[in-house]
Amino acid sequence: MARVVLGVGASHSTLMNTHWDKVVHTDRAERFRDALHEAREAIAQAEPDIAIIVGSNHFRGFWLDMIPPFTLGVGEVIGAGEAKTPSGPQLTDPAFAQGLAEDLVERGTEVAISARLQIDHGQTHAIQYLLEGTQVPVVPLVVNVFAAPLPRPDRCAELGRNITAAIEALPDDLRVVVIASGGLSHQLPWPDDWRAPEGADEEFLVEAWLNGRGDWERYDGRRREIITAARPVLFPDFDEAFLADLERGELARYAEMTAGEIGEVAGNGGQELRTWLVMAAALGFAPGKSLAYSPMPEWLTGMGVAVIRP
């Protein structure tokens, strides 16, 4: 019988790739990096046949002309390669991915599909740091966490539970790891409501979100300038409580929150916690282990790593 053998949650930030030399809190950065290595070893020891990577997309594979709540890559998967992340075609298992999508729809959590999906650091960061040196095919699951209306957290939890049910229904003896990429708390210099941008920077970002399909590189320079100039806004108390709840197996209560409540306590970037809910639900909200928490203002994010074993 196929089964989920491990869950991993890990924050991502391209600034880790491009601005390491500007890090002030070196001990925190190294602790996070070491935790990624520890999680990578846990994945290797689990000997997965497939990795489902639940992550976001930062307007490089999706734009405002079309953003489904959930999208599975069921064919070609291409890394955008921004900020020194993996680029080009990634190793995939289209038959498994298509079968998973069909089963999820039958179980009541409809997912869109993409036969040619461009992913960015919302998932390639995990490929780079957690699957480096492996030949594990990836199935990307993109969750909309940026363009309202966002999928409800309880629907994300339901999706995670149905992923496991779909996997366990397979006749094949497959070992699957579920990786959540994103979070923890952070506040991005992006408009919370894309329909009402405020100021020139937000207007530029919305223009990029509307018109970036096939041409995102044209907007990337100024967008990077806006991000790197942003004032860090982290919520360490929330992050530490979230990881403590993960260790106790109590993340299910976050599925009861609204998007507004998440934004208030974890920032607009905290909406990425939906990816952790999908992963944790796929592991039955079992108690896990926090490997590191590093509040990194230099990377604009509270950076966490954790593992959950079934």
Side-chain angles (χ1 to χ4, degrees), residues 39-114:
R40 184 178 65 196
E41 287 302 312
I43 292 172
Q45 292 170 10
E47 299 182 332
D49 298 297
I50 293 172
I52 298 174
I53 304 180
V54 190
S56 53
N57 190 285
H58 305 74
F59 295 98
R60 291 183 177 85
F62 293 88
W63 287 266
L64 289 177
D65 59 0
M66 182 68 71
I67 302 184
F70 308 115
T71 305
L72 267 176
V74 300
E76 187 177 9
V77 175
I78 304 167
E82 86 285 10
K84 303 179 182 179
T85 55
S87 62
Q90 303 299 305
L91 183 62
T92 62
D93 187 332
F96 173 88
Q98 180 68 27
L100 178 62
E102 293 175 0
D103 195 301
L104 288 172
V105 170
E106 289 301 315
R107 292 177 189 276
T109 47
E110 292 81 1
V111 294
I113 63 166
S114 173

Side-chain angles (χ1 to χ4, degrees), residues 168-180:
E168 291 179 348
L170 292 172
D172 308 308
D173 186 20
L174 294 175
R175 299 171 62 84
V176 181
V177 61
V178 181
I179 300 172

Side-chain angles (χ1 to χ4, degrees), residues 187-203:
Q187 180 72 24
L188 296 166
W190 290 0
D192 291 329
D193 186 349
W194 58 269
R195 295 159 298 184
E198 298 180 1
D201 285 347
E202 290 193 0
E203 289 175 358

Side-chain angles (χ1 to χ4, degrees), residues 7 157 160-161 178 180 246 251-252 275-286 308:
R161 289 189 292 267
V178 181
L246 179 145
L251 285 190
T275 67
W276 290 61
L277 289 178
V278 174
M279 179 274 293
L283 274 294
F285 288 112
I308 302 177

Side-chain angles (χ1 to χ4, degrees), residues 194-274:
W194 58 269
R195 295 159 298 184
E198 298 180 1
D201 285 347
E202 290 193 0
E203 289 175 358
F204 169 81
L205 289 172
V206 171
E207 178 189 345
W209 297 353
L210 280 168
N211 302 315
R213 185 174 296 281
D215 196 23
W216 65 264
E217 294 95 336
R218 181 162 66 92
Y219 299 94
D220 205 45
R222 182 174 172 187
R223 183 163 70 170
R224 294 289 294 175
E225 291 175 359
I226 293 171
I227 292 172
T228 55
R231 179 177 65 89
V233 179
L234 310 182
F235 301 82
D237 290 345
F238 171 86
D239 294 339
E240 291 172 353
F242 182 86
L243 291 173
D245 284 335
L246 179 145
E247 293 199 317
R248 289 190 292 263
E250 297 178 357
L251 285 190
R253 70 183 188 88
Y254 292 85
E256 301 172 1
M257 299 178 70
T258 66
E261 290 168 341
I262 292 173
E264 288 179 6
V265 297
N268 59 11
Q271 305 293 352
E272 288 181 332
L273 293 174
R274 285 168 173 76

